[in-house]
Each structure stands twice: as structure tokens, then as C-alpha cells.
Amino acid sequence: MIESEGDRIVGVRGDPEHPANLGRLCTKGAALHLTARPDYRLLHPELRRQRGQARQRVGWDAALDHAADRFAEIIAAHGPDSVAFYISGQLLTEDYYVFNKLAKGLIGTNNVDTNSHLCMSSAVAGYKQTLGADAPPCCYEDIALADCLLIAGANPAVAHPIVFRRIEDARAANPELRIVVIDPRQTETSAIADLHLPLRPGTDIALYNGLLHVLLGDRLVDRGYIAAHTEGFAELERTVAAYPPAVVAEICGLDQGDVIKAARWFGTAGATLSLYCQGLNQSSHGTHNNVALIHLHLATGQIGRPGAGPFSLTGQPNAMGGREVGGLANLLSAHRDLANPEHRDEVARLWGVPSVPAAPGRTAIALFVALQRGLIKAVWNACTNPAQSLPDQAEVRAALQAADFVVLQEAYGNTDTAAYADLMLPATTWGEKEGTVTNSERWITHLRPAVSPPGEARHDWQIVVDFAHCLGGRLGQPLTEKLFPYRSAEAIFNEHRESTRGHDLDITSLSYALLDAAGPQQWPLPEGASHGRQRLYEDGVFPTGSGRARFVKVEHRSTAENTNATRPISLLSGRLRDHWHGMSRTGSVAGCSISTTNLCCRHPADLRERALAAGDLARVGSARGLLPEFAFASVGLYGRAEPLVILRAAHTTALPASRLQQIDALFGLDDDAAAIVHVDHRRQISKRAVAPDGELVGVRLAGETQAQTWLREVMADNTLDAELIRWAVAPIGQRPGKLQPRSRVVCQCADITAAQTAADIEAGATLAVVQDQRKCGTFCGSCLPEIRQMISAQPLLARGEGALRQHREGA
């Protein structure tokens, strides 16, 4: 729910009526209004006609005409597959729909893919191979109804905090609930587990096959369900015979007894629910990771009933909606398969075109490989930042540089990809758009704009439709106006709705009017139905040719790249509690920051083995290369009201004075009249503090940086007296004088620091008291795992005595 003043968004709060979050927001959601500031907004189209030139402001007609000319020329010379579209899980469903229609219906290429492919394509394929459709069968309410909860390859305490609140609520309501966490790392989520299985990275399939082996041996599979509702189990049964607990324990690096215990908990529970995410998906065999886990539910009949089923957690706000309209290179609208000729014919009839191309398009990574090799000549990027977010960054940037023509349709003009764009098109963003989104449990929500678009920004769907009209004539397509007749987002939704008729996600009873009157609705909601369906496959019938779910033969395979003597460490990607993915938006908001630099987290034993301690700067190399100039570099924000910009960098040798001068100028520290300078040439130390009118505005430390921590704090708080400014260039690691240190913030929502929380706990406060007095954990709850860790670190006796004393005082 958005609070606005004129055309400015000033606040946001959760909708207590929304069934997905019941009014709860995580810190990222609560800070959305801060990311909607006008800073860095792209307000008008910009074009460069030759590489090396600066882009110039142009009108929309000139921008779209130029784009249409370039695309038409490239298509005429090299064919439809020489152009591609790379879009985003943050687009609305209506935006997604017209992008797919533009590529697959007008141009005749399936080269349209999305950044959702990187996180969700494995989940999509896993559901389709086993259950027959990309349709999560569960709902969030199942968390409270489960007797056993298996969390695999996910850390919802950080990545899905609102889901984690439901998990905590379920544990509080049912102390008998058993929680199994499968994750190589000890995480905030594994801290609440009854059983943590820290398997070796990439050994998921071996583990799930091993769990099924135990279920079979203990006769915990449901033979009746298997016979009535599935196919292919006999071959899988022969496969998992080779995965006894001893073998699995060796492959996965686990205790054999823990493997057996996890299987028995899964199989004996009245209802078992699995939650899984990127740990399974982002793998060279991610689809089979998903399949192997789903097998456990099919073999035990733990699907299609309350509290049970395999539940894939989605990463982006509308990854589900994009998949519903064919937002991957091998899909068509309404979960149709591109490889199915009947499905292609259905879409061609719906759109009124002779045919839809049969050859699958280039997926996200392959798209940029083809771009670098010259197979794709032009790429249109929308609402995503491949030059920052895709793997193999050097290759991606080389591909963008090699392209004949690059379009970037964006709300912000300062993304990494903008540097490669020949044409920039200003788009609206959150709070300014109308359309629909679909969440992990199939709830469709209608979003309405709260403020007007800034400058000349247009809605994403409008940009696509306007471009299609320009391009159609150049391609000799007489049907362009009939293909793209839309004058509103609702008109696009209505066509999408019709495309779902008779399919697994049938929403022919749905409309904007119904969503506005009755609130979000779950699909399927076919014509004549009064409400959607919470759970799928309750009748044991699946959307496959036979109506049966499928078991698939899956075997353990090693990771695409294995450790060796030269590269002995496996690094896993993680998530930051207060940031979205690549931080291109939240990274510019100091209130979101819990750290001013990226971290590499290692087990204490591994650190000791390499003579490292927490906080040390370590060199980490990979086959993907290092930063070109610095061995390490990071830039971030610190503080809340008036944030600091903090650059940290390491170099193998001392930087020359000329390079330091460039850095000083970049950060506005080149005012010699207001500067305090300390230079020690022998020790290669150079320091500079700038304090006009007695106020410290910036410091640059090179060669010796002991003061960086306390300087960061006093500058953020503006608590450094003028007479103490000279200490800014002194080699001291503590605050000078009687300045009290400021602790880092633990609860972003209530602005409560670690020192305040620790003092409360030392005085005997329980978690309930901290929540009541400080309000920590009563907003989004993201800080609760850390506060619990702080409480558990206190001596048990001291906590008990403090709690008793507090109870007596309260009495």
C-alpha cells in the first residue's frame, strides 16, 4: 500500500488484506519508497548513431523510428533470429505478453528470454518433467499444516523473510513440527532446524536418491498411490538401489545416521512440505535436483493435500507471471510448449498469424554467447542489467560491445548496461504502472499506479506496442495493427486471459474488475468458478498425456567445475537480508545497508587453516578473473539520514600520487584550502581529510587505514568536534577523546543498534521483552535470527536469573 504526496511516493506499508503476506513486509519491501526517488531516473529517450559518441536526447518518434530501421535492416540481412530480447521477472504480466508477441508473432523469432531463466528455469523444468506443468501445487497456508518441513537449498530467513515468519509461527503453534534444513552452510534458517544436513555442494541428487532408498527399505512409500497416479517408478526404484545410506554419506559428506533420520521423518510425518530455491536451481543439473526432490513426494503420496507437497520459492516479484505468458525461449502463452506443433498452431490462431516459429530461441546465457559471436546482431534489454547480473561478466560485456545495436528500456539511466546502449528508452517503474503479477502460490494481484510517470517515461507495454507499429510496416507485416491493438493494460490482460482457456492455468473467470472488488485470486479460475484453487492435484490427476505424474531416472553427477589443488574452494552465492539481488536499486539507499562491502563467509576452521581471521582482506581468485586494476574494490553506502559513500580498494603496490589525485577529484576531496594532509614517502602512506568550515566532509586513507572504522561512524553521526578533526589522518584505531562508539544497526525497521540490544539482553531481557520495548522483530522480523543468536550467546544462568528478576519486577 503506497503513500504518496503529489507525484512523489513517500511511504509504503503491507496490505493486511493480502493473502500472501497479511500486511507483513521485509526490510526490502519496507524500503521500496526510498528506491523510488527521482535520482538517476531516465526521463527522455537518448540515442547515439555511432559507437564512441555520447548519446543525445531525442524525441520518442525519432527514437522508435531509428530502432525500427536498425532492426528491420538487420532482419533483412541476417534473418529474424539475428535479433533478440532479454527481459525481466520484474516486468508485469502484460509487459511480458506483448514482448513475446512482438518476438514470436511479429518478427518470427523465439529469441526472447528473461533473467528469470537464471533462477527459475530448473524449477519450471522440474515441475513439467514430473507433474506435467509449471504449477506449484502448494500454498503458504500449508506451512502451518505440515508435520515435517524440509527446506532445501534455501535460506528463507534472509531471502524470503515473510515466509520465514510463517515457519516461525508454525513452530510456535506446533512444537512437534520437525524441520530439516539441507544446505552446505550454517545459516539463519539452519539455526532453527531439528536436523541440519550440510551436504557437499552439488550432491543433492545423491542425497534425495538415498532418502528414497531408505523410504523403500522401511516400506514408507505409498504403493497404492504410486500404482494409481504415477508412471516410471520401477526404473527409478532400480536406480536408487545403488544409493544406500553408506554410499550417500560418503558422496555427500554426511553422517549416515542423519540420512536415515531425515528419510524416516519425511516418510512417517502425517504431512511433509518441501520448500526449495536457488541452491537446487542454480546448478548444471538443477532440473534433476528438482526432480529428485519431487520424487520423494510422489513416492509417499505427500502431494495434493493440506500441509504436503513440493513448493518452489520464486525469486523475483513476477517470475511466475512471465512464465504464464511464455516468457522463456522454449515456451508459449498459457504454459504451452514451443516444441508442440498443436500448441504453436493454437497460438498462431489466437494471434491471427500464419505460424509461430518452431526452432527454440536462445536462452539467457546462450543469447549473449551468440551476441559475442555475431550470430545475434541486435539485443533489446528491458528492466534488467546483464552487464552487472549475468555470470562471466567479461564475456557479457564483450558481447554487448560486439553487438551492432543495443537497446536498453529502463527506468534508471545509471545501470552498468547503460554504458553499452546505443538507444535508451525511459520506462515507468514500481508505483507508476498498472498490470498484474503472480506470486509463488499462484495469487494474481492487480497493481494500480499511485503517481504519474516522470518526464517522458512510458509504460513498458506501451513502448513495445509503439515499436511494433513502427517495425511492422518496415517488415511488410500488414497485420501489425490487428496484432497490437492495445490502448490499455487491461486489453492485453483480456487477451492473455483468453489464451489460458482450457489449460492448467485457466483464468477465464478473472478480470480487473473482479480483482479490484474481491482482491487477489489464485489460478486456476476457469469460467463459471467462484474462486481459485489453493492446492493442485488433490484428485491425483496430473496435466500429462496419461494423467499420471512421472518418475524420471536421475543419477548423481559432479558439478560443472570441481575443486582441485589449484582451486580448492567451492564458493556458493548467497543473499543479503536488506538488499535485492545485485543491489543496483537498494545499494543506492543507505537505509538498506547492513554492510559497506561484499563478504566471503568461511567456516572458522577454514579461516584458521589459511591464517585468516574475521574481517581480514583475502585474495580470492577464480577462472573468471579478477578486477582489472585493483586486487579488491567495493563501494557502498553507510549511515541513514545523510549517508556516506565508502570506497575500499587494495592494490599490490602503492598508487602513484597522480592516481590518488584522480580519486580525490572523483570524490570531491581536491579542495586544497580545506585539506589536512599527511604524507610519509618512506612508508608509502598518504592521507587527506577535507573539512571546510570545520566540518569533516571526506577522508582518503592510503597505505595505512586504522582509522577507517571510527571515522565512518563519527562522520555518519556527525559527532566529531572541530578540534578533533586533525585526528582523521592519525594512525589510531579508536575514537579520540571521549566520543562514545556507535554500534551498527540490527533492526533496520526500528533503528535499534547491536549495542542497545546487547545491553537489554545482558540486563536479562528475553526476546519477548526486546520485541515489546524496542519493537525489534515486530515489523518485518528479519532481525529475529540475529537477535536469537545474541540471546543464545549469553550464559544460560545469567539469562535465567535476568528473566526471573524481570518477572518478579513485573509482578
Side-chain angles (χ1 to χ4, degrees):
M1 300 177 69
I2 295 173
E3 301 171 28
S4 61
E5 294 178 357
D7 284 334
R8 189 166 65 94
I9 296 174
V10 297
V12 63
R13 55 191 173 90
D15 181 358
E17 301 299 321
H18 199 288
N21 68 349
L22 304 176
R24 288 169 162 171
L25 290 179
C26 67
T27 56
K28 296 182 281 286
L32 268 175
H33 63 291
L34 300 177
T35 70
R37 298 174 309 178
D39 311 41
Y40 313 118
R41 284 300 299 269
L42 183 64
L43 299 177
H44 50 258
E46 296 178 0
L47 171 66
R48 65 180 180 192
R49 297 182 183 275
Q50 291 184 350
R51 288 286 167 85
Q53 294 181 345
R55 290 188 300 267
Q56 302 294 324
R57 178 175 179 174
V58 296
W60 271 104
D61 289 345
L64 293 175
D65 281 340
H66 182 81
D69 287 341
R70 296 292 287 120
F71 265 65
E73 292 167 1
I74 292 170
I75 292 168
H78 305 283
D81 288 335
S82 63
V83 301
F85 298 86
Y86 185 58
I87 55 180
S88 166
Q90 297 178 57
L91 291 171
L92 303 185
T93 302
E94 291 77 0
D95 304 326
Y96 255 117
Y97 186 88
V98 292
F99 262 115
N100 278 275
K101 195 174 188 181
L102 168 67
K104 299 169 183 176
L106 177 65
I107 295 174
T109 180
N110 290 313
N111 285 341
V112 53
D113 209 61
T114 166
N115 56 21
S116 299
H117 191 108
L118 304 178
C119 57
M120 298 310 300
S121 61
S122 295
V124 172
Y127 274 141
K128 290 177 68 174
Q129 285 191 13
T130 54
L131 309 183
D134 173 22
C138 313
C139 61
Y140 290 146
E141 290 185 14
D142 285 323
I143 294 172
L145 302 175
D147 300 299
C148 178
L149 187 61
L150 187 146
I151 305 172
N155 184 16
V158 166
H160 294 87
I162 306 308
V163 171
F164 195 68
R165 301 287 81 75
R166 288 182 180 260
I167 295 171
E168 292 181 314
D169 292 345
R171 164 57 62 80
N174 177 19
E176 300 302 315
L177 172 65
R178 286 170 166 168
I179 299 178
V180 180
V181 172
I182 302 172
D183 197 306
R185 297 176 57 228
Q186 290 183 353
T187 66
E188 296 85 346
T189 300
S190 69
I192 70 164
D194 301 291
L195 178 60
H196 176 210
L197 300 178
L199 78 173
R200 288 194 180 100
T203 61
D204 303 83
I205 295 172
L207 175 60
Y208 303 134
N209 280 356
L211 297 181
L212 183 52
H213 181 106
V214 175
L215 291 169
L216 284 163
D218 287 0
R219 297 184 179 180
L220 294 175
V221 298
D222 188 336
R223 294 283 183 180
Y225 187 90
I226 292 170
H229 303 295
T230 74
E231 59 191 17
F233 186 69
E235 184 176 6
L236 180 62
E237 189 171 1
R238 290 190 292 271
T239 298
V240 301
Y243 292 86
V247 172
V248 171
E250 177 64 26
I251 294 173
C252 300
L254 297 173
D255 179 81
Q256 180 176 341
D258 287 345
V259 175
I260 296 171
K261 181 186 293 185
R264 288 175 177 168
W265 284 3
F266 191 105
T268 59
T272 298
L273 180 71
S274 295
L275 304 175
Y276 50 99
C277 200
Q278 306 309 341
L280 269 66
N281 296 341
Q282 292 184 333
S283 164
S284 58
H285 41 69
T287 297
H288 281 182
N289 289 345
N290 280 258
V291 165
L293 178 54
I294 295 171
H295 283 166
L296 301 179
H297 287 274
L298 292 175
T300 56
Q302 293 277 11
I303 188 171
R305 51 192 179 84
F311 196 179
S312 167
L313 300 176
T314 298
Q316 293 194 82
N318 198 34
M320 280 284 290
R323 284 138 54 188
E324 291 164 11
V325 296
L328 293 175
N330 59 347
L331 298 180
L332 290 171
S333 187
H335 289 174
R336 291 176 174 89
D337 276 325
L338 186 65
N340 186 323
E342 293 182 2
H343 287 183
R344 294 198 304 272
D345 289 345
E346 287 176 6
V347 173
R349 286 195 298 271
L350 176 72
W351 287 348
V353 297
S355 64
V356 172
R362 307 267 185 178
T363 57
I365 302 299
L367 188 159
F368 284 89
V369 171
L371 190 66
Q372 186 179 14
R373 294 177 179 175
L375 301 175
I376 292 176
K377 305 290 185 179
V379 62
W380 190 301
N381 305 275
C383 196
T384 189
N385 188 15
Q388 189 260 356
S389 59
L390 279 175
D392 285 345
Q393 279 292 288
E395 299 298 319
V396 171
R397 293 178 182 225
L400 290 166
Q401 188 64 40
D404 288 0
F405 188 55
V406 176
V407 180
L408 179 59
Q409 181 172 319
E410 245 300 349
Y412 295 89
N414 66 332
T415 70
D416 298 75
T417 306
Y420 301 90
D422 301 300
L423 176 64
M424 294 273 286
L425 301 175
T428 53
T429 186
W430 172 85
E432 303 161 2
K433 306 177 66 170
E434 180 178 26
T436 55
V437 295
T438 309
N439 80 337
S440 292
E441 53 176 351
R442 297 172 280 104
W443 285 106
I444 297 176
T445 301
H446 180 212
L447 306 181
R448 288 170 293 179
V451 296
S452 301
E456 298 177 25
R458 293 183 180 180
H459 302 311
D460 287 287
W461 68 264
Q462 284 181 312
I463 297 172
V464 175
V465 169
D466 292 343
F467 172 68
H469 289 161
C470 291
L471 180 63
R474 291 165 172 82
L475 296 180
Q477 287 281 8
L479 302 175
T480 304
E481 186 61 40
K482 294 182 66 176
L483 273 175
F484 295 93
Y486 318 113
R487 298 295 181 265
S488 67
E490 185 173 14
I492 301 169
F493 176 85
N494 290 342
E495 183 175 311
H496 157 56
R497 176 184 64 194
E498 183 57 34
S499 78
T500 69
R501 185 179 297 274
H503 285 259
D504 66 295
L505 71 162
D506 192 324
I507 54 170
T508 46
S509 228
L510 200 57
S511 65
Y512 275 15
L514 176 63
L515 291 169
D516 291 341
Q521 301 293 312
Q522 277 179 301
W523 62 256
L525 189 66
E527 192 169 31
S530 59
H531 56 81
R533 196 180 306 160
Q534 273 192 310
R535 299 173 188 88
L536 305 181
Y537 317 132
E538 293 173 300
D539 56 1
V541 177
F542 296 86
T544 62
S546 64
R548 294 169 174 267
R550 297 178 290 234
F551 288 100
V552 180
K553 181 181 178 180
V554 292
E555 294 270 19
H556 167 65
R557 295 286 183 269
S558 62
T559 54
E561 294 181 357
N562 295 311
T563 58
N564 53 42
T566 304
R567 306 190 188 281
I569 303 170
S570 292
L571 292 180
L572 306 175
S573 64
R575 300 294 179 267
L576 295 175
R577 186 191 73 185
D578 298 333
H579 285 290
W580 298 114
H581 303 300
M583 297 170 53
S584 57
R585 290 182 69 181
T586 52
S588 65
V589 177
C592 294
S593 297
I594 57 175
S595 173
T596 58
T597 185
N598 294 324
L599 298 175
C600 178
C601 300
R602 300 295 310 282
H603 191 280
D606 291 333
L607 292 177
R608 289 193 296 269
E609 181 180 339
R610 290 168 173 79
L612 293 171
D616 282 355
L617 190 62
R619 180 187 295 275
V620 180
S622 77
R624 305 292 173 260
L626 295 168
L627 292 166
E629 180 178 3
F630 295 103
F632 165 84
S634 72
V635 64
L637 299 180
Y638 184 82
R640 294 179 77 83
E642 297 182 9
L644 308 177
V645 178
I646 298 179
L647 168 69
R648 297 181 66 217
H651 200 269
T652 53
T653 60
L655 292 178
S658 59
R659 190 69 174 98
L660 293 176
Q661 289 170 1
Q662 291 175 340
I663 294 173
D664 291 342
L666 180 65
F667 283 86
L669 303 179
D670 51 354
D671 183 356
D672 291 334
I676 303 171
V677 178
H678 170 73
V679 178
D680 185 335
H681 293 293
R682 183 179 63 84
R683 299 174 59 200
Q684 297 183 318
I685 293 173
S686 175
K687 302 181 181 183
R688 184 182 185 89
V690 177
D693 302 320
E695 181 180 355
L696 186 62
V697 297
V699 179
R700 187 259 299 149
L701 308 175
E704 185 276 302
T705 62
Q706 291 185 59
Q708 62 174 311
T709 300
W710 69 263
L711 279 171
R712 179 184 67 191
E713 294 172 356
V714 298
M715 291 180 69
D717 295 345
N718 197 22
T719 55
L720 187 65
D721 294 335
E723 62 268 20
L724 297 178
I725 288 177
R726 67 184 186 279
W727 292 100
V729 295
I732 57 174
Q734 301 292 328
R735 290 182 175 211
K738 298 181 179 180
L739 294 175
Q740 294 297 315
R742 184 183 188 276
S743 175
R744 64 182 178 83
V745 173
V746 168
C747 178
Q748 296 283 350
C749 300
D751 197 20
I752 302 300
T753 67
Q756 291 172 304
T757 308
D760 292 342
I761 295 170
E762 290 171 5
T766 62
L767 175 61
V769 171
V770 172
Q771 289 179 295
D772 180 61
Q773 296 182 353
R774 298 288 191 184
K775 304 305 178 186
C776 294
T778 62
F779 297 91
C780 75
S782 298
C783 61
L784 288 176
E786 182 173 358
I787 295 174
R788 288 195 178 93
Q789 291 175 357
M790 295 174 68
I791 292 173
S792 65
Q794 291 293 316
L796 181 61
L797 181 59
R799 292 206 313 273
E801 290 177 349
L804 178 61
R805 181 174 62 253
Q806 194 170 46
H807 175 74
R808 287 173 177 167
E809 290 170 355

